[in-house]
Amino acid sequence: MESAERCYDHAKYGELAEDLWVDCVVASGVDETLAPKGRHIMTCFVQYVPYRLRQGTWDEKRELLGDLVVKKIARYAPNVPDAIVARQVITPLDLERTYGLSEGNIFHGDLSLEQLFFMRPVSGWAQYRTPIGGLYLCGAGAHPGGGVTGAPGHNAAHQVLRDLRK
């Protein structure tokens, strides 16, 4: 928890933490069609990275972020840095530019107390309905939030079914 708190502190002041919070997935370990034989693809999710940098721009700091991620991984898997043949570093600004995610927030808003339960995304919309008839919310901006659970879509589908029965 202390490490996460330190990373968050750096991010809220527009800085990159030297010791990042990195979550890695090696999907080619379960799907060998993703990479050539003897190779793997690793996806790294980095939590607590600022959208606005105190100094410089994301276009200038992109490779620094990638280097910090590789440095963190190397602490636990020292063979990884020499095994990398290519990498793509996606910054919060890239998430906004490419996917339209405001400030690069993949959760469509912070998962903080004032953005949970009946307040997600805003008061009055927590049951997946919007003020537009027949339009429902089912993404990371709906309760219970982002992640790879499918829960917002599941819950929205059940709300649609309940509404159709009325």
Side-chain angles (χ1 to χ4, degrees), residues 28 31-41:
S28 52
D31 183 352
E32 60 190 35
T33 66
L34 295 174
K37 192 166 184 65
R39 298 282 184 186
H40 288 281
I41 292 177

Side-chain angles (χ1 to χ4, degrees), residues 25-161:
V25 174
V26 183
S28 52
V30 294
D31 183 352
E32 60 190 35
T33 66
L34 295 174
K37 192 166 184 65
R39 298 282 184 186
H40 288 281
I41 292 177
M42 178 186 287
T43 301
C44 304
F45 175 73
V46 183
Q47 187 68 280
Y48 311 118
V49 175
Y51 172 74
R52 288 179 185 79
L53 293 168
R54 181 182 285 190
Q55 296 179 343
T57 68
W58 272 118
D59 291 328
E60 297 166 347
K61 302 287 183 173
R62 174 185 326 282
E63 293 309 313
L64 172 62
L65 175 59
D67 293 343
L68 289 169
V69 169
V70 172
K71 180 180 173 184
K72 175 71 176 211
I73 294 167
R75 286 178 39 198
Y76 302 95
N79 61 323
V80 167
D82 291 335
I84 297 172
V85 295
R87 76 179 187 189
Q88 178 185 23
V89 180
I90 301 173
T91 70
L93 182 59
D94 295 324
L95 291 172
E96 182 176 77
R97 286 175 177 162
T98 306
Y99 304 106
L101 297 175
S102 298
E103 296 189 359
N105 191 321
I106 64 167
F107 299 117
H108 303 179
D110 291 333
L111 293 171
S112 57
L113 190 56
E114 64 275 5
Q115 281 285 299
L116 293 177
F117 305 112
F118 66 92
M119 294 295 290
R120 187 155 189 87
V122 294
S123 181
W125 292 22
Q127 295 302 313
Y128 308 98
R129 289 185 211 93
T130 69
I132 301 168
L135 180 63
Y136 294 81
L137 299 175
C138 61
H143 176 74
V148 189
T149 65
H154 173 271
N155 295 348
H158 282 274
Q159 186 63 56
V160 170
L161 292 172

